[in-house]
Amino acid sequence: MQKPLWLLKMELAIIVAVANNGVIGNKGDLPWRGKIPGDLKRFAELTLGHPCIMGRTTYESLPERFKPLPRRTNIVVSRLRSYMGEGIIVVGGVQEAYEEASKRDEIAFCIGGQKIFESMLPMTDRIYLTRIHESFVGDRYFPDFNFNQMWNEVDREDRRTEEGLEYSFVEYVRNDESS
């Protein structure tokens, strides 16, 4: 017998690339677009087949050829109740997005933007962070909080592009004490 949804706990993961100065975006784009091909490959591998929760502006910033993100349930949070798009599920808030994702899978990925990260961080179980070891100009930032206090680092892979840009893939799991 299948358990009712309210008895199940879906794992919520944030997947994000963050520059040293906290920047995650600039004018609707990634400031490092095209400079870190390994990051997009990792994003695709981790999120494939899973629900992806995002804000409306993040969805609109996706390249047209990736709208909606293929082979993923695209859940878009928008205060515009009339917002629509082919192949997406539009919800009014992050709690509704979480509930919608939990109907579909045991894990969902929050992919941004800034306001969605801020709202979903308290519900998040895991963070897949691409830490870019350089500062970038931007107008969107990842929430400022202490990774070491609330999170355990469980994996790290340091990398460098052919052009010399250093970055790390870091995986964090929420401390049991911070839940």
Side-chain angles (χ1 to χ4, degrees):
M1 182 171 158
Q2 189 174 5
K3 290 183 183 179
L5 278 176
W6 57 270
L7 288 177
L8 298 176
K9 169 88 168 80
M10 178 187 70
E11 180 174 287
L12 180 63
I14 283 177
I15 186 163
V16 62
V18 182
N20 271 348
N21 58 343
V23 167
I24 60 171
N26 189 40
K27 297 179 179 147
D29 201 1
L30 299 174
W32 46 82
R33 184 172 302 283
K35 296 181 181 180
I36 310 174
D39 181 53
L40 292 178
K41 181 179 178 196
R42 179 177 184 241
F43 175 88
E45 289 172 354
L46 287 170
T47 64
L48 195 63
H50 301 289
C52 289
I53 299 169
M54 67 199 91
R56 180 184 51 81
T57 55
T58 296
Y59 178 74
E60 290 174 352
S61 74
L62 295 173
E64 285 301 320
R65 69 182 188 274
F66 295 121
K67 284 186 193 175
L69 291 171
R71 300 194 330 235
R72 298 163 186 87
T73 302
N74 289 238
I75 302 172
V76 178
V77 179
S78 176
R79 289 185 302 260
L80 302 173
R81 292 313 243 163
S82 61
Y83 191 77
M84 298 174 73
E86 191 172 322
I88 65 172
I89 298 168
V90 180
V91 296
V94 294
Q95 186 63 41
E96 190 180 348
Y98 181 92
E99 290 167 7
E100 192 65 44
S102 69
K103 295 175 189 175
R104 291 167 163 68
D105 206 339
E106 295 173 2
I107 183 171
F109 288 88
C110 174
I111 67 169
Q114 179 178 328
K115 290 178 184 175
I116 302 300
F117 286 141
E118 289 169 356
S119 297
M120 296 200 97
L121 192 57
M123 298 186 258
T124 299
D125 303 294
R126 186 176 304 268
I127 298 174
Y128 293 96
L129 175 76
T130 300
R131 171 62 72 190
I132 302 167
H133 303 291
E134 188 173 306
S135 292
F136 283 84
V137 172
D139 58 9
R140 297 290 180 260
Y141 296 86
F142 195 70
D144 186 26
F145 70 98
N146 186 341
F147 276 99
N148 297 327
Q149 187 177 29
M150 296 175 61
W151 302 88
N152 292 324
E153 183 179 314
V154 295
D155 192 34
R156 174 181 290 266
E157 183 181 337
D158 297 323
R159 293 182 163 207
R160 175 191 294 252
T161 66
E162 290 180 14
E163 294 77 27
L165 179 60
E166 294 181 359
Y167 63 101
S168 301
F169 292 146
V170 189
E171 183 179 346
Y172 293 96
V173 176
R174 183 180 291 279
N175 286 338
D176 289 336
E177 296 87 43
S178 66
S179 298

